[in-house]
Amino acid sequence: MNEERARRIGERLRSARRQRGMSLRNLAGLAGVSVGYLSMVENGQRLLDRSSLIASFAEVLQIAPSELTGQPFAAVDPHTSAAHEAVPALRLTLMGLTMAAPPDRRAPQVPAAVLSERVAKANRLYHGADYATLAAGLPTLLADLHAAAEAADGAGRRVLLKLLADAYHPACTLLLKNLGYTDLAFIAVTRAAEAIAELDDPVYSALAGFFHTHVLMAAGSPTQALAQATAAANTLEANLTSTDDAHALLGELHLISATSLTLDRQRPGNTRTEDVRGHLKEADKLAGRTGETQAWHLNFGPTNVGIHKVSLNTDLGRHGAAVIAGDGVHPQTLAEAPGRQAAFHADLGRSLAHLRGREAQAVAALLTAEEIAPQRIHASAPVRNTVEFLTDRQLPAHAARDLRGLAHRIGLPL
């Protein structure tokens, strides 16, 4: 045993444990080791050299493993890795499924209500940011829905076509977008549009436009995204029903139009800001009418509008305004959408990072976001950029340690 290395690792482990206010017994229990073993490691009598134990201690203490070893340590996020591992099967499913060429399988012998619950579950997994479980289950769900729709006719077929659209939106399209597979997200939104075309329903056509806007933004074309959102909003307004569901979709279109505008760097800053405010004002009015709603498997309402006020000001570089906008927003209202809650805290952290003297609060906000929806935060490019930005700032020791832990978990070499 390298006695000097064992002593240094033991001292680092003890220091991290005490900084977290944890007893030997608590840390040992959470890491799955005996108190005696942990005591010997901290006293330099045992060398902590098993990567699994190093990772376990680091995870419990929310630090980077390199904080213990003093050496580089490969980052591993098993859940996000599992989501990416499931994508090849989902890719093949998307490539093989079209309304003109249905899957070569028998329709599931279950009522439409059972399929509807499976679609609802998939969307709950998306909003819960459980990307790994969702990605693994989508190929079978989509194939079953296509087969069921092919076997049905009349009113039953219309029901199944709507379920197909609801399975692609948002669970499949936004999952793939968030994981960085913009091309596959485009295929998903195209498959949904094929089903919607047969419905000949202007409200569902506007829904397809809404998700198409998401994909165009992810592809780096805010101008095309805004045009798509505007066209969808015009279609919806020309066929607006009295239901809150239609008004909720219109509100979502105003929010995504505002988001598209923040990304359009070709548009003058003052014009962008004013246009964003205009869309937010319309969304506010609509949210006042609908209240909190989960129409279209989304989360439109006053809370989501408030969350967007933070994200939109952040993307406009109005960081002080973003933090002020966060006051009074209660993201926990969206109890069934931890992904949206995490987005709020992440955007708040992104803005706090740019306010002098509030960097430690920024780290705390990012950690809160990660705790709520780790898979979403670990896959977020804006969060990654913010963590990189904060590594060059002067931080209190505890915040710097927390930041290094987060950097490791999202795969940033530091």
Side-chain angles (χ1 to χ4, degrees):
M1 181 180 75
N2 186 323
E3 294 181 359
E4 179 60 22
R5 183 165 178 245
R7 182 187 65 78
R8 290 197 302 269
I9 291 176
E11 288 176 350
R12 294 184 188 115
L13 181 57
R14 183 188 299 112
S15 172
R17 175 178 63 79
R18 289 176 174 173
Q19 188 180 69
R20 295 303 190 205
M22 298 179 69
S23 67
L24 271 169
R25 185 173 299 279
N26 285 342
L27 177 55
L30 291 170
V33 300
S34 69
V35 173
Y37 173 81
L38 175 56
S39 178
M40 286 191 290
V41 170
E42 287 196 356
N43 290 317
Q45 297 168 351
R46 289 287 297 270
L47 174 61
L48 183 61
D49 56 358
R50 284 174 52 192
S51 60
S52 59
L53 282 179
I54 294 169
S56 180
F57 282 125
E59 181 178 355
V60 173
L61 294 167
Q62 289 290 282
I63 60 176
S66 58
E67 293 282 322
L68 300 177
T69 64
Q71 299 174 349
F73 196 95
V76 176
D77 179 349
H79 299 294
T80 303
S81 297
H84 287 288
E85 288 168 5
V87 167
L90 180 53
R91 174 185 287 110
L92 290 174
T93 298
L94 291 171
M95 291 172 65
L97 293 177
T98 70
M99 298 309 297
D104 184 18
R105 62 192 294 152
R106 295 180 60 186
Q109 300 302 302
V110 296
V114 173
L115 294 172
S116 178
E117 174 50 35
R118 288 174 63 189
V119 171
K121 180 180 178 181
N123 281 296
R124 286 196 297 271
L125 288 170
Y126 167 72
H127 286 296
D130 188 350
Y131 295 164
T133 304
L134 173 58
L138 273 173
T140 300
L141 173 60
L142 294 172
D144 281 350
L145 286 167
H146 274 275
E150 176 64 17
D153 54 23
R157 181 172 172 85
R158 286 185 65 83
V159 168
L160 288 163
L161 290 174
K162 290 180 178 180
L163 283 179
L164 256 180
D166 290 346
Y168 282 113
H169 301 150
C172 187
T173 300
L174 296 192
L175 165 76
L176 291 165
K177 186 202 81 166
N178 289 352
L179 289 175
Y181 299 97
T182 307
D183 53 344
L184 296 184
F186 177 76
I187 295 177
V189 87
T190 301
R191 295 289 176 260
E194 291 170 354
I196 288 171
E198 186 176 335
L199 288 172
D200 193 25
D201 183 324
V203 178
Y204 265 89
S205 294
L207 181 70
F210 170 74
F211 286 104
H212 196 178
T213 301
H214 271 283
V215 176
L216 288 169
M217 284 197 305
S221 182
T223 303
Q224 286 181 281
L226 180 60
Q228 181 68 239
T230 302
N234 290 341
T235 297
L236 187 56
E237 286 177 330
N239 297 274
L240 197 59
T241 66
S242 60
T243 67
D244 282 346
D245 285 7
H247 287 82
L249 179 55
L250 184 58
E252 291 281 7
L253 284 163
H254 278 294
L255 291 178
I256 202 166
S257 295
T259 304
S260 299
L261 283 162
T262 67
L263 302 176
D264 188 357
R265 304 304 178 190
Q266 304 303 313
R267 191 179 293 252
N270 290 340
T271 302
R272 271 193 299 146
T273 300
E274 287 305 311
D275 288 345
V276 166
R277 285 174 178 163
H279 283 292
L280 272 174
K281 184 177 180 180
E282 292 301 317
D284 250 333
K285 288 180 185 177
L286 290 160
R289 172 192 170 117
T290 66
E292 304 291 356
T293 173
Q294 292 181 314
W296 314 107
H297 297 289
L298 299 170
N299 294 280
F300 184 71
T303 300
N304 206 5
V305 173
I307 290 173
H308 273 79
K309 288 177 181 177
V310 176
S311 65
L312 293 168
N313 277 299
T314 297
D315 288 337
L316 287 169
R318 303 178 72 248
H319 302 299
V323 173
I324 292 171
D327 293 339
V329 177
H330 303 288
Q332 64 272 20
T333 300
L334 304 180
E336 296 184 9
R340 291 304 298 148
Q341 297 178 45
F344 167 80
H345 292 288
D347 290 331
L348 195 60
R350 289 170 56 210
S351 272
L352 286 166
H354 291 273
L355 300 179
R356 184 66 64 180
R358 305 192 70 173
E359 294 90 348
Q361 290 176 269
V363 174
L366 294 175
L367 290 176
T368 298
E370 183 196 29
E371 182 179 3
I372 294 170
Q375 292 185 56
R376 176 163 183 153
I377 297 307
H378 293 170
S380 170
V383 168
R384 186 185 184 92
N385 293 339
T386 301
V387 171
E388 286 184 302
F389 173 78
L390 284 168
T391 57
D392 294 328
R393 306 300 292 269
Q394 193 70 31
L395 297 173
H398 71 279
R401 172 172 273 179
D402 287 343
L403 183 67
R404 288 192 293 271
L406 176 58
H408 168 77
R409 293 188 294 278
I410 64 177
L412 272 178
L414 292 179

